[in-house]
Amino acid sequence: MKMKRIISLVMLLTILPMLSGCWYVVAGGAGAYGGYKMKEKGYTLQNPIAKEKRSTQPSK
């Protein structure tokens, strides 16, 4: 029983560093998706974040 636990712990410690880079990809994908959905609803990235205003006057 103790040997099985040691083997499991060693396997976990060897696999964990391989997965560390994946979290950056997941977080980046989630941020990109959130930004895409906000852009669909008319929001733009400004300081502060605000909804685009549609002007009634033609541009000069």
Side-chain angles (χ1 to χ4, degrees), residues 9-59:
L9 183 62
V10 169
M11 286 177 51
L12 178 67
L13 291 176
T14 57
I15 292 173
L16 194 60
M18 293 179 206
L19 296 176
S20 64
C22 295
W23 300 115
Y24 293 113
V25 174
V26 170
Y33 181 74
Y36 176 75
K37 286 307 220 180
M38 285 184 71
K39 184 69 175 172
E40 279 184 349
K41 293 183 179 186
Y43 288 93
T44 58
L45 184 61
Q46 296 175 353
N47 193 10
I49 297 175
K51 206 170 194 176
E52 286 182 4
K53 295 179 182 175
R54 300 191 192 276
S55 62
T56 57
Q57 300 174 356
S59 301

